[in-house]
């Protein structure tokens, strides 16, 4: 597995947050910045072939799923995005674990 694959969610969310910041749509939540930091640190730890690094990526994914259950008048439901990211990090952790054995 290519090592850059571990950074895909971090890059995608960083681009989305960058577009929001450039267009002055609104302020970025501190939770968003913490989630980005967890995504990048998860990618870094998985890049070092430590399988539990996927847990750091799964934490923001679980938070995204939780936020999707809250009804706040959002345009996009966040639950499917969180489920996809959670499955992604579970698969990445599994592949790193298998490759280390």
């Amino acid at each position: 597995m290519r090592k850059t694959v571990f950074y895909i969610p971090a890059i995608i969310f960083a681009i989305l947050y960058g577009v929001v910041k450039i267009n002055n749509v609104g302020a970025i939540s501190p939770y968003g910045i913490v989630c980005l930091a967890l995504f990048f640190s998860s990618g870094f730890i998985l890049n070092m072939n430590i399988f539990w690094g996927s847990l750091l990526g799964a934490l923001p994914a679980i938070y995204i799923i939780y936020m999707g259950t809250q009804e706040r008048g959002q345009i996009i439901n966040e639950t499917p995005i969180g489920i996809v990211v959670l499955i992604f990090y579970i698969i990445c952790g599994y592949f790193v674990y298998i490759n280390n054995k």
Side-chain angles (χ1 to χ4, degrees):
M1 181 179 267
R2 307 243 337 140
K3 301 295 184 172
T4 57
V5 172
F6 301 139
Y7 296 102
I8 288 175
I11 293 168
I12 290 172
F13 285 114
I15 290 171
L16 290 175
Y17 282 140
V19 168
V20 167
K21 192 64 177 169
I22 289 172
N23 292 332
N24 291 326
V25 174
I28 296 176
S29 165
Y31 294 117
I33 294 172
V34 169
C35 287
L36 274 178
L38 285 172
F39 282 145
F40 277 111
S41 61
S42 174
F44 180 73
I45 292 172
L46 285 170
N47 199 9
M48 294 175 24
N49 291 327
I50 301 172
F51 73 93
W52 57 264
S54 63
L55 176 65
L56 293 177
L59 291 175
I62 292 169
Y63 179 72
I64 292 170
I65 293 170
Y66 166 73
M67 290 306 292
T69 62
Q70 307 299 313
E71 190 61 39
R72 297 179 298 151
Q74 300 136 326
I75 298 171
I76 299 172
N77 190 6
E78 300 158 338
T79 304
I81 298 168
I83 291 172
V84 168
V85 173
L86 181 63
I87 291 171
F88 173 81
Y89 276 111
I90 289 172
I91 291 171
C92 285
Y94 175 74
F95 279 123
V96 169
Y97 180 76
I98 293 300
N99 286 337
N100 284 340
K101 276 195 155 188

